[in-house]
Amino acid sequence: MTSAIRHVSIDCTDAYAVAAFWSEALGQPLHEEDRPGDEEALIEAAGLLFVTVPETKTVKNRLHFDLQPQDRTRDEEVARLLALGATLLDDQRTGDGMGWVVLADPEGNEFCVERSAAEREN
């Protein structure tokens, strides 16, 4: 018998707020029972469980998400995520359209935005 990953757990100081950001970013709903102030918040469809802990983030993530836009370009997705509250950390886009953008969620967790599948075909 093997094991399966049920959730990826993400420590944060405000589980609901960070989960709400990722809910909007991924277009996936929070669990119907989650409310502001809850110690945990779940995006079930994505397998992401946000857990409130007393410690704040202090170093670069050892694990991060690489997002690939499904219905827009990389640049459009970066603009949308920035409007949701992400922060630009590093811009690795190149003049020929290649590369990625490193952003951080509202608690500083790094993630990357890559080109969409349509952009990769060109």
CSV table of all heavy atoms in Angstrom, one decimal, residues 44-111:
chain,number,residue,atom,x,y,z
A,44,GLU,N,-10.4,22.9,-1.2
A,44,GLU,CA,-10.4,21.4,-1.4
A,44,GLU,C,-10.0,21.0,-2.8
A,44,GLU,O,-9.3,20.0,-3.0
A,44,GLU,CB,-11.8,20.9,-1.0
A,44,GLU,CG,-11.8,19.4,-0.8
A,44,GLU,CD,-13.1,19.0,-0.1
A,44,GLU,OE1,-14.1,19.7,0.0
A,44,GLU,OE2,-13.1,17.9,0.5
A,45,ALA,N,-10.5,21.7,-3.8
A,45,ALA,CA,-10.3,21.3,-5.2
A,45,ALA,C,-8.8,21.4,-5.6
A,45,ALA,O,-8.3,20.6,-6.4
A,45,ALA,CB,-11.1,22.2,-6.2
A,46,ALA,N,-8.0,22.2,-4.9
A,46,ALA,CA,-6.6,22.4,-5.1
A,46,ALA,C,-5.8,21.6,-4.1
A,46,ALA,O,-4.6,21.5,-4.3
A,46,ALA,CB,-6.2,23.8,-5.1
A,47,GLY,N,-6.4,21.0,-3.1
A,47,GLY,CA,-5.7,20.3,-2.1
A,47,GLY,C,-4.8,21.1,-1.2
A,47,GLY,O,-3.7,20.7,-0.8
A,48,LEU,N,-5.2,22.4,-1.0
A,48,LEU,CA,-4.4,23.3,-0.2
A,48,LEU,C,-5.1,23.6,1.1
A,48,LEU,O,-6.2,24.0,1.2
A,48,LEU,CB,-4.2,24.6,-1.0
A,48,LEU,CG,-3.5,24.6,-2.3
A,48,LEU,CD1,-3.4,25.9,-3.0
A,48,LEU,CD2,-2.1,24.0,-2.1
A,49,LEU,N,-4.3,23.4,2.2
A,49,LEU,CA,-4.8,23.6,3.6
A,49,LEU,C,-4.0,24.7,4.2
A,49,LEU,O,-2.8,24.5,4.3
A,49,LEU,CB,-4.8,22.3,4.4
A,49,LEU,CG,-5.2,22.5,5.9
A,49,LEU,CD1,-6.7,22.9,6.0
A,49,LEU,CD2,-4.9,21.2,6.6
A,50,PHE,N,-4.6,25.8,4.6
A,50,PHE,CA,-3.9,26.9,5.2
A,50,PHE,C,-4.1,26.8,6.7
A,50,PHE,O,-5.2,26.7,7.1
A,50,PHE,CB,-4.4,28.2,4.6
A,50,PHE,CG,-4.2,28.3,3.1
A,50,PHE,CD1,-5.0,27.8,2.2
A,50,PHE,CD2,-3.0,28.9,2.7
A,50,PHE,CE1,-4.8,27.8,0.9
A,50,PHE,CE2,-2.8,29.0,1.3
A,50,PHE,CZ,-3.7,28.4,0.4
A,51,VAL,N,-3.0,26.9,7.5
A,51,VAL,CA,-3.1,26.7,8.9
A,51,VAL,C,-2.4,27.9,9.6
A,51,VAL,O,-1.3,28.2,9.3
A,51,VAL,CB,-2.3,25.4,9.3
A,51,VAL,CG1,-2.4,25.1,10.8
A,51,VAL,CG2,-2.9,24.2,8.5
A,52,THR,N,-3.1,28.5,10.6
A,52,THR,CA,-2.6,29.6,11.3
A,52,THR,C,-1.6,29.0,12.3
A,52,THR,O,-1.9,28.1,13.1
A,52,THR,CB,-3.7,30.3,12.1
A,52,THR,OG1,-4.7,30.8,11.1
A,52,THR,CG2,-3.2,31.4,12.9
A,53,VAL,N,-0.4,29.7,12.3
A,53,VAL,CA,0.7,29.4,13.3
A,53,VAL,C,1.2,30.7,13.9
A,53,VAL,O,1.0,31.7,13.3
A,53,VAL,CB,1.8,28.6,12.6
A,53,VAL,CG1,1.3,27.2,12.0
A,53,VAL,CG2,2.5,29.4,11.5
A,54,PRO,N,1.8,30.6,15.0
A,54,PRO,CA,2.3,31.9,15.6
A,54,PRO,C,3.5,32.5,15.0
A,54,PRO,O,3.7,33.7,15.1
A,54,PRO,CB,2.6,31.5,17.1
A,54,PRO,CG,2.8,30.0,17.0
A,54,PRO,CD,2.0,29.5,15.9
A,55,GLU,N,4.3,31.7,14.3
A,55,GLU,CA,5.5,32.2,13.7
A,55,GLU,C,5.2,32.8,12.4
A,55,GLU,O,4.4,32.4,11.6
A,55,GLU,CB,6.5,31.0,13.4
A,55,GLU,CG,6.8,30.1,14.6
A,55,GLU,CD,5.8,29.0,14.7
A,55,GLU,OE1,5.1,28.6,13.8
A,55,GLU,OE2,5.6,28.5,15.9
A,56,THR,N,6.0,33.9,12.0
A,56,THR,CA,5.9,34.5,10.7
A,56,THR,C,7.0,33.9,9.8
A,56,THR,O,7.9,33.2,10.2
A,56,THR,CB,6.2,36.0,10.8
A,56,THR,OG1,7.5,36.2,11.4
A,56,THR,CG2,5.1,36.7,11.6
A,57,LYS,N,6.8,34.1,8.5
A,57,LYS,CA,7.7,33.6,7.5
A,57,LYS,C,9.1,34.3,7.7
A,57,LYS,O,9.1,35.5,7.8
A,57,LYS,CB,7.2,33.8,6.1
A,57,LYS,CG,8.0,33.3,5.0
A,57,LYS,CD,7.4,33.5,3.7
A,57,LYS,CE,8.2,33.1,2.5
A,57,LYS,NZ,9.5,33.6,2.4
A,58,THR,N,10.2,33.6,7.6
A,58,THR,CA,11.5,34.2,7.9
A,58,THR,C,12.5,34.0,6.7
A,58,THR,O,13.4,34.7,6.6
A,58,THR,CB,12.1,33.7,9.2
A,58,THR,OG1,12.2,32.3,9.1
A,58,THR,CG2,11.3,34.2,10.4
A,59,VAL,N,12.3,32.9,5.9
A,59,VAL,CA,13.3,32.6,4.9
A,59,VAL,C,12.5,32.2,3.6
A,59,VAL,O,11.3,32.0,3.6
A,59,VAL,CB,14.2,31.5,5.3
A,59,VAL,CG1,15.1,31.9,6.5
A,59,VAL,CG2,13.5,30.2,5.5
A,60,LYS,N,13.3,32.2,2.5
A,60,LYS,CA,12.7,31.8,1.2
A,60,LYS,C,12.1,30.4,1.3
A,60,LYS,O,12.6,29.5,2.0
A,60,LYS,CB,13.8,31.7,0.2
A,60,LYS,CG,13.4,31.4,-1.2
A,60,LYS,CD,14.6,31.4,-2.2
A,60,LYS,CE,14.1,31.1,-3.6
A,60,LYS,NZ,13.8,29.7,-3.8
A,61,ASN,N,10.9,30.2,0.6
A,61,ASN,CA,10.3,28.9,0.6
A,61,ASN,C,11.2,27.8,0.0
A,61,ASN,O,11.9,28.1,-1.0
A,61,ASN,CB,9.0,29.0,-0.3
A,61,ASN,CG,8.0,29.9,0.3
A,61,ASN,OD1,8.2,30.6,1.2
A,61,ASN,ND2,6.8,29.9,-0.4
A,62,ARG,N,11.1,26.6,0.5
A,62,ARG,CA,11.8,25.5,-0.1
A,62,ARG,C,10.9,24.8,-1.1
A,62,ARG,O,11.4,24.1,-1.9
A,62,ARG,CB,12.1,24.5,1.0
A,62,ARG,CG,13.1,24.9,2.1
A,62,ARG,CD,14.5,25.0,1.6
A,62,ARG,NE,15.0,23.8,1.0
A,62,ARG,CZ,15.9,23.0,1.5
A,62,ARG,NH1,16.5,23.3,2.7
A,62,ARG,NH2,16.3,21.9,0.9
A,63,LEU,N,9.6,25.1,-1.1
A,63,LEU,CA,8.7,24.6,-2.0
A,63,LEU,C,7.8,25.8,-2.5
A,63,LEU,O,7.5,26.6,-1.7
A,63,LEU,CB,7.8,23.6,-1.3
A,63,LEU,CG,6.6,23.0,-2.0
A,63,LEU,CD1,7.1,21.9,-2.9
A,63,LEU,CD2,5.6,22.5,-1.1
A,64,HIS,N,7.5,25.9,-3.8
A,64,HIS,CA,6.6,27.0,-4.2
A,64,HIS,C,5.8,26.5,-5.4
A,64,HIS,O,6.1,25.5,-6.0
A,64,HIS,CB,7.5,28.2,-4.6
A,64,HIS,CG,8.3,28.0,-5.8
A,64,HIS,ND1,9.6,27.6,-5.8
A,64,HIS,CD2,8.0,28.3,-7.2
A,64,HIS,CE1,10.1,27.6,-7.0
A,64,HIS,NE2,9.1,27.9,-7.9
A,65,PHE,N,4.8,27.3,-5.7
A,65,PHE,CA,3.9,26.9,-6.8
A,65,PHE,C,4.4,27.6,-8.1
A,65,PHE,O,4.9,28.8,-8.1
A,65,PHE,CB,2.5,27.5,-6.6
A,65,PHE,CG,1.8,26.9,-5.3
A,65,PHE,CD1,1.2,27.8,-4.4
A,65,PHE,CD2,1.8,25.5,-5.1
A,65,PHE,CE1,0.6,27.3,-3.3
A,65,PHE,CE2,1.2,25.0,-3.9
A,65,PHE,CZ,0.6,25.9,-3.0
A,66,ASP,N,4.3,26.9,-9.2
A,66,ASP,CA,4.5,27.5,-10.6
A,66,ASP,C,3.1,27.5,-11.2
A,66,ASP,O,2.6,26.5,-11.5
A,66,ASP,CB,5.5,26.7,-11.4
A,66,ASP,CG,6.9,26.8,-10.9
A,66,ASP,OD1,7.3,27.8,-10.3
A,66,ASP,OD2,7.7,25.8,-11.2
A,67,LEU,N,2.6,28.7,-11.4
A,67,LEU,CA,1.3,28.9,-12.0
A,67,LEU,C,1.4,29.0,-13.5
A,67,LEU,O,2.3,29.7,-14.0
A,67,LEU,CB,0.5,30.1,-11.5
A,67,LEU,CG,0.3,30.1,-10.0
A,67,LEU,CD1,-0.5,31.4,-9.6
A,67,LEU,CD2,-0.3,28.9,-9.4
A,68,GLN,N,0.5,28.4,-14.3
A,68,GLN,CA,0.4,28.5,-15.7
A,68,GLN,C,-1.0,29.0,-16.0
A,68,GLN,O,-2.0,28.3,-15.8
A,68,GLN,CB,0.7,27.2,-16.4
A,68,GLN,CG,0.7,27.4,-17.9
A,68,GLN,CD,0.9,26.1,-18.7
A,68,GLN,OE1,0.4,25.0,-18.3
A,68,GLN,NE2,1.7,26.1,-19.7
A,69,PRO,N,-1.2,30.2,-16.5
A,69,PRO,CA,-2.5,30.7,-16.9
A,69,PRO,C,-3.2,29.8,-17.9
A,69,PRO,O,-2.6,29.3,-18.8
A,69,PRO,CB,-2.2,32.1,-17.5
A,69,PRO,CG,-0.8,32.5,-17.0
A,69,PRO,CD,-0.1,31.2,-16.8
A,70,GLN,N,-4.5,29.7,-17.7
A,70,GLN,CA,-5.3,28.8,-18.6
A,70,GLN,C,-6.0,29.6,-19.6
A,70,GLN,O,-6.3,29.1,-20.7
A,70,GLN,CB,-6.3,28.0,-17.7
A,70,GLN,CG,-5.6,27.1,-16.7
A,70,GLN,CD,-4.6,26.1,-17.4
A,70,GLN,OE1,-5.1,25.3,-18.1
A,70,GLN,NE2,-3.3,26.2,-17.1
A,71,ASP,N,-6.5,30.8,-19.3
A,71,ASP,CA,-7.3,31.6,-20.3
A,71,ASP,C,-6.8,33.0,-20.5
A,71,ASP,O,-7.6,33.8,-20.9
A,71,ASP,CB,-8.8,31.6,-19.8
A,71,ASP,CG,-8.9,32.2,-18.4
A,71,ASP,OD1,-7.9,32.5,-17.8
A,71,ASP,OD2,-10.0,32.4,-17.9
A,72,ARG,N,-5.6,33.2,-20.2
A,72,ARG,CA,-5.0,34.6,-20.5
A,72,ARG,C,-3.5,34.4,-20.6
A,72,ARG,O,-2.9,33.3,-20.3
A,72,ARG,CB,-5.4,35.5,-19.3
A,72,ARG,CG,-4.9,35.1,-18.0
A,72,ARG,CD,-5.4,36.0,-16.8
A,72,ARG,NE,-6.8,36.1,-16.7
A,72,ARG,CZ,-7.6,35.4,-15.9
A,72,ARG,NH1,-7.1,34.5,-15.1
A,72,ARG,NH2,-8.9,35.6,-15.9
A,73,THR,N,-2.8,35.5,-20.9
A,73,THR,CA,-1.4,35.4,-21.1
A,73,THR,C,-0.7,35.5,-19.7
A,73,THR,O,-1.3,35.9,-18.7
A,73,THR,CB,-0.9,36.6,-21.9
A,73,THR,OG1,-1.1,37.8,-21.2
A,73,THR,CG2,-1.5,36.7,-23.3
A,74,ARG,N,0.6,35.2,-19.7
A,74,ARG,CA,1.4,35.4,-18.5
A,74,ARG,C,1.3,36.8,-17.9
A,74,ARG,O,1.0,37.0,-16.7
A,74,ARG,CB,2.8,35.0,-18.7
A,74,ARG,CG,3.7,35.2,-17.5
A,74,ARG,CD,5.2,35.3,-17.9
A,74,ARG,NE,5.4,36.3,-19.0
A,74,ARG,CZ,6.3,36.2,-20.0
A,74,ARG,NH1,7.0,35.1,-20.0
A,74,ARG,NH2,6.4,37.1,-20.9
A,75,ASP,N,1.4,37.8,-18.8
A,75,ASP,CA,1.5,39.2,-18.4
A,75,ASP,C,0.1,39.6,-17.9
A,75,ASP,O,0.0,40.3,-16.9
A,75,ASP,CB,1.9,40.1,-19.5
A,75,ASP,CG,3.3,39.8,-20.0
A,75,ASP,OD1,4.1,39.1,-19.2
A,75,ASP,OD2,3.7,40.2,-21.0
A,76,GLU,N,-1.0,39.1,-18.5
A,76,GLU,CA,-2.3,39.4,-18.0
A,76,GLU,C,-2.5,38.8,-16.6
A,76,GLU,O,-3.1,39.4,-15.7
A,76,GLU,CB,-3.4,39.0,-19.0
A,76,GLU,CG,-3.4,39.7,-20.3
A,76,GLU,CD,-4.3,39.1,-21.3
A,76,GLU,OE1,-4.5,37.8,-21.3
A,76,GLU,OE2,-4.7,39.8,-22.2
A,77,GLU,N,-2.0,37.6,-16.4
A,77,GLU,CA,-2.2,36.9,-15.1
A,77,GLU,C,-1.4,37.6,-14.1
A,77,GLU,O,-1.8,37.8,-12.9
A,77,GLU,CB,-1.8,35.4,-15.2
A,77,GLU,CG,-2.0,34.6,-14.0
A,77,GLU,CD,-3.4,34.5,-13.6
A,77,GLU,OE1,-4.3,35.1,-14.1
A,77,GLU,OE2,-3.6,33.7,-12.7
A,78,VAL,N,-0.2,38.0,-14.4
A,78,VAL,CA,0.6,38.8,-13.4
A,78,VAL,C,-0.1,40.0,-13.0
A,78,VAL,O,-0.2,40.3,-11.8
A,78,VAL,CB,2.0,39.1,-14.0
A,78,VAL,CG1,2.8,40.2,-13.1
A,78,VAL,CG2,2.9,37.9,-14.1
A,79,ALA,N,-0.7,40.8,-13.9
A,79,ALA,CA,-1.4,42.0,-13.6
A,79,ALA,C,-2.6,41.7,-12.7
A,79,ALA,O,-2.9,42.4,-11.7
A,79,ALA,CB,-1.9,42.7,-14.8
A,80,ARG,N,-3.3,40.6,-13.0
A,80,ARG,CA,-4.5,40.2,-12.2
A,80,ARG,C,-4.1,39.8,-10.7
A,80,ARG,O,-4.7,40.3,-9.7
A,80,ARG,CB,-5.2,39.0,-12.8
A,80,ARG,CG,-6.5,38.6,-12.1
A,80,ARG,CD,-7.1,37.4,-12.8
A,80,ARG,NE,-6.4,36.1,-12.5
A,80,ARG,CZ,-6.7,35.4,-11.4
A,80,ARG,NH1,-7.7,35.8,-10.6
A,80,ARG,NH2,-6.1,34.3,-11.2
A,81,LEU,N,-3.0,39.1,-10.6
A,81,LEU,CA,-2.5,38.6,-9.3
A,81,LEU,C,-2.0,39.8,-8.5
A,81,LEU,O,-2.2,39.9,-7.2
A,81,LEU,CB,-1.5,37.6,-9.4
A,81,LEU,CG,-2.0,36.2,-10.0
A,81,LEU,CD1,-0.8,35.3,-10.4
A,81,LEU,CD2,-2.9,35.5,-9.0
A,82,LEU,N,-1.3,40.8,-9.1
A,82,LEU,CA,-0.9,42.0,-8.4
A,82,LEU,C,-2.1,42.7,-7.9
A,82,LEU,O,-2.1,43.3,-6.8
A,82,LEU,CB,0.0,42.8,-9.3
A,82,LEU,CG,1.4,42.3,-9.6
A,82,LEU,CD1,2.0,43.1,-10.7
A,82,LEU,CD2,2.2,42.2,-8.4
A,83,ALA,N,-3.2,42.8,-8.7
A,83,ALA,CA,-4.4,43.5,-8.3
A,83,ALA,C,-5.1,42.8,-7.1
A,83,ALA,O,-5.7,43.4,-6.3
A,83,ALA,CB,-5.3,43.6,-9.4
A,84,LEU,N,-4.9,41.5,-7.0
A,84,LEU,CA,-5.4,40.7,-5.9
A,84,LEU,C,-4.6,40.9,-4.6
A,84,LEU,O,-5.1,40.5,-3.5
A,84,LEU,CB,-5.5,39.2,-6.2
A,84,LEU,CG,-6.5,38.8,-7.2
A,84,LEU,CD1,-6.4,37.3,-7.5
A,84,LEU,CD2,-7.9,39.1,-6.7
A,85,GLY,N,-3.4,41.4,-4.7
A,85,GLY,CA,-2.6,41.7,-3.5
A,85,GLY,C,-1.2,41.0,-3.5
A,85,GLY,O,-0.5,41.1,-2.5
A,86,ALA,N,-0.9,40.4,-4.6
A,86,ALA,CA,0.5,39.8,-4.7
A,86,ALA,C,1.5,40.9,-4.8
A,86,ALA,O,1.2,42.1,-5.1
A,86,ALA,CB,0.6,38.9,-5.9
A,87,THR,N,2.8,40.6,-4.5
A,87,THR,CA,3.9,41.5,-4.6
A,87,THR,C,4.9,41.0,-5.6
A,87,THR,O,5.2,39.8,-5.6
A,87,THR,CB,4.6,41.6,-3.3
A,87,THR,OG1,3.6,42.0,-2.3
A,87,THR,CG2,5.7,42.7,-3.3
A,88,LEU,N,5.4,41.9,-6.5
A,88,LEU,CA,6.4,41.5,-7.4
A,88,LEU,C,7.8,41.4,-6.7
A,88,LEU,O,8.2,42.3,-6.1
A,88,LEU,CB,6.5,42.6,-8.5
A,88,LEU,CG,7.6,42.3,-9.6
A,88,LEU,CD1,7.3,41.1,-10.4
A,88,LEU,CD2,7.7,43.6,-10.5
A,89,LEU,N,8.4,40.2,-6.8
A,89,LEU,CA,9.7,40.0,-6.2
A,89,LEU,C,10.8,40.0,-7.2
A,89,LEU,O,11.9,40.4,-7.0
A,89,LEU,CB,9.7,38.6,-5.5
A,89,LEU,CG,8.8,38.5,-4.3
A,89,LEU,CD1,9.0,37.1,-3.6
A,89,LEU,CD2,9.0,39.6,-3.3
A,90,ASP,N,10.6,39.3,-8.4
A,90,ASP,CA,11.6,39.2,-9.4
A,90,ASP,C,11.0,39.0,-10.8
A,90,ASP,O,10.1,38.3,-10.9
A,90,ASP,CB,12.6,38.0,-9.1
A,90,ASP,CG,13.8,38.0,-9.9
A,90,ASP,OD1,14.2,39.0,-10.5
A,90,ASP,OD2,14.4,36.9,-10.0
A,91,ASP,N,11.5,39.7,-11.8
A,91,ASP,CA,11.0,39.6,-13.1
A,91,ASP,C,12.0,39.0,-14.0
A,91,ASP,O,13.0,39.6,-14.3
A,91,ASP,CB,10.6,41.0,-13.6
A,91,ASP,CG,9.8,41.0,-14.9
A,91,ASP,OD1,9.8,40.0,-15.6
A,91,ASP,OD2,9.0,42.0,-15.1
A,92,GLN,N,11.8,37.7,-14.4
A,92,GLN,CA,12.7,37.0,-15.2
A,92,GLN,C,12.2,36.9,-16.7
A,92,GLN,O,12.6,36.0,-17.4
A,92,GLN,CB,12.8,35.6,-14.7
A,92,GLN,CG,13.6,35.5,-13.3
A,92,GLN,CD,15.0,35.9,-13.5
A,92,GLN,OE1,15.7,35.5,-14.4
A,92,GLN,NE2,15.5,36.7,-12.5
A,93,ARG,N,11.2,37.8,-17.1
A,93,ARG,CA,10.8,37.8,-18.5
A,93,ARG,C,11.9,38.3,-19.3
A,93,ARG,O,12.7,39.2,-19.0
A,93,ARG,CB,9.5,38.7,-18.6
A,93,ARG,CG,8.3,38.1,-17.9
A,93,ARG,CD,7.1,39.0,-18.0
A,93,ARG,NE,7.2,40.1,-17.0
A,93,ARG,CZ,6.2,40.8,-16.6
A,93,ARG,NH1,5.0,40.7,-17.1
A,93,ARG,NH2,6.4,41.7,-15.6
A,94,THR,N,12.0,37.7,-20.5
A,94,THR,CA,13.0,38.2,-21.5
A,94,THR,C,12.4,38.8,-22.7
A,94,THR,O,11.2,38.7,-22.9
A,94,THR,CB,13.9,37.0,-21.9
A,94,THR,OG1,13.0,36.0,-22.6
A,94,THR,CG2,14.6,36.3,-20.7
A,95,GLY,N,13.2,39.5,-23.5
A,95,GLY,CA,12.7,40.3,-24.6
A,95,GLY,C,12.0,39.4,-25.7
A,95,GLY,O,11.2,39.9,-26.4
A,96,ASP,N,12.4,38.1,-25.7
A,96,ASP,CA,11.8,37.2,-26.7
A,96,ASP,C,10.5,36.5,-26.2
A,96,ASP,O,10.0,35.6,-26.8
A,96,ASP,CB,12.8,36.2,-27.2
A,96,ASP,CG,13.3,35.3,-26.0
A,96,ASP,OD1,12.8,35.5,-24.9
A,96,ASP,OD2,14.1,34.4,-26.3
A,97,GLY,N,10.0,37.0,-25.0
A,97,GLY,CA,8.7,36.4,-24.5
A,97,GLY,C,8.9,35.2,-23.6
A,97,GLY,O,7.9,34.7,-23.1
A,98,MET,N,10.1,34.8,-23.4
A,98,MET,CA,10.3,33.6,-22.5
A,98,MET,C,10.4,34.1,-21.1
A,98,MET,O,10.2,35.3,-20.8
A,98,MET,CB,11.7,33.0,-22.9
A,98,MET,CG,11.8,32.5,-24.4
A,98,MET,SD,10.7,31.1,-24.7
A,98,MET,CE,11.8,29.8,-24.2
A,99,GLY,N,10.6,33.2,-20.2
A,99,GLY,CA,10.8,33.6,-18.8
A,99,GLY,C,9.6,33.5,-17.9
A,99,GLY,O,8.5,33.0,-18.4
A,100,TRP,N,9.7,34.0,-16.7
A,100,TRP,CA,8.6,33.9,-15.7
A,100,TRP,C,8.7,35.1,-14.8
A,100,TRP,O,9.7,35.9,-14.8
A,100,TRP,CB,8.8,32.6,-14.9
A,100,TRP,CG,10.1,32.5,-14.2
A,100,TRP,CD1,10.3,32.9,-12.9
A,100,TRP,CD2,11.3,32.0,-14.6
A,100,TRP,NE1,11.6,32.7,-12.5
A,100,TRP,CE2,12.3,32.2,-13.6
A,100,TRP,CE3,11.8,31.5,-15.8
A,100,TRP,CZ2,13.6,31.8,-13.7
A,100,TRP,CZ3,13.1,31.1,-16.0
A,100,TRP,CH2,14.0,31.3,-14.9
A,101,VAL,N,7.7,35.2,-13.9
A,101,VAL,CA,7.7,36.3,-12.9
A,101,VAL,C,7.6,35.7,-11.6
A,101,VAL,O,6.8,34.8,-11.4
A,101,VAL,CB,6.5,37.3,-13.2
A,101,VAL,CG1,6.5,38.4,-12.2
A,101,VAL,CG2,6.7,37.8,-14.6
A,102,VAL,N,8.4,36.1,-10.6
A,102,VAL,CA,8.3,35.6,-9.2
A,102,VAL,C,7.5,36.7,-8.4
A,102,VAL,O,7.8,37.9,-8.4
A,102,VAL,CB,9.7,35.5,-8.6
A,102,VAL,CG1,9.6,35.0,-7.2
A,102,VAL,CG2,10.6,34.6,-9.4
A,103,LEU,N,6.4,36.2,-7.8
A,103,LEU,CA,5.5,37.0,-7.0
A,103,LEU,C,5.5,36.4,-5.6
A,103,LEU,O,6.0,35.3,-5.4
A,103,LEU,CB,4.1,37.0,-7.6
A,103,LEU,CG,3.9,37.5,-9.0
A,103,LEU,CD1,2.5,37.4,-9.4
A,103,LEU,CD2,4.3,39.0,-9.1
A,104,ALA,N,4.9,37.2,-4.7
A,104,ALA,CA,4.7,36.7,-3.3
A,104,ALA,C,3.2,36.9,-3.0
A,104,ALA,O,2.6,37.9,-3.3
A,104,ALA,CB,5.6,37.4,-2.3
A,105,ASP,N,2.6,36.0,-2.2
A,105,ASP,CA,1.3,36.1,-1.8
A,105,ASP,C,1.3,37.2,-0.6
A,105,ASP,O,2.3,37.7,-0.2
A,105,ASP,CB,0.6,34.8,-1.4
A,105,ASP,CG,1.1,34.1,-0.1
A,105,ASP,OD1,1.8,34.8,0.7
A,105,ASP,OD2,0.8,33.0,0.1
A,106,PRO,N,0.1,37.5,0.0
A,106,PRO,CA,0.1,38.5,1.0
A,106,PRO,C,0.9,38.3,2.2
A,106,PRO,O,1.2,39.2,3.0
A,106,PRO,CB,-1.4,38.6,1.3
A,106,PRO,CG,-2.1,38.2,0.1
A,106,PRO,CD,-1.3,37.1,-0.5
A,107,GLU,N,1.3,37.0,2.5
A,107,GLU,CA,2.2,36.7,3.6
A,107,GLU,C,3.6,36.5,3.2
A,107,GLU,O,4.5,36.0,4.0
A,107,GLU,CB,1.6,35.6,4.4
A,107,GLU,CG,0.4,36.0,5.2
A,107,GLU,CD,0.2,35.2,6.5
A,107,GLU,OE1,1.0,34.3,6.8
A,107,GLU,OE2,-0.8,35.4,7.1
A,108,GLY,N,4.0,36.7,1.9
A,108,GLY,CA,5.3,36.6,1.5
A,108,GLY,C,5.8,35.3,0.9
A,108,GLY,O,6.9,35.1,0.6
A,109,ASN,N,4.8,34.4,0.7
A,109,ASN,CA,5.2,33.1,0.1
A,109,ASN,C,5.4,33.2,-1.4
A,109,ASN,O,4.5,33.7,-2.1
A,109,ASN,CB,4.1,32.1,0.4
A,109,ASN,CG,3.8,31.8,1.9
A,109,ASN,OD1,4.7,31.4,2.6
A,109,ASN,ND2,2.6,32.1,2.3
A,110,GLU,N,6.6,32.9,-1.8
A,110,GLU,CA,6.9,33.0,-3.2
A,110,GLU,C,6.2,32.1,-4.1
A,110,GLU,O,5.9,30.9,-3.7
A,110,GLU,CB,8.5,32.8,-3.4
A,110,GLU,CG,9.3,33.8,-2.6
A,110,GLU,CD,9.7,33.2,-1.3
A,110,GLU,OE1,9.3,32.1,-0.9
A,110,GLU,OE2,10.4,33.9,-0.6
A,111,PHE,N,5.9,32.5,-5.3
A,111,PHE,CA,5.4,31.6,-6.4
A,111,PHE,C,5.7,32.3,-7.7
A,111,PHE,O,6.1,33.4,-7.8
A,111,PHE,CB,3.9,31.4,-6.3
A,111,PHE,CG,3.0,32.6,-6.4
A,111,PHE,CD1,2.4,32.9,-7.6
A,111,PHE,CD2,2.8,33.5,-5.3
A,111,PHE,CE1,1.5,34.0,-7.7
A,111,PHE,CE2,2.0,34.6,-5.5
A,111,PHE,CZ,1.4,34.9,-6.7
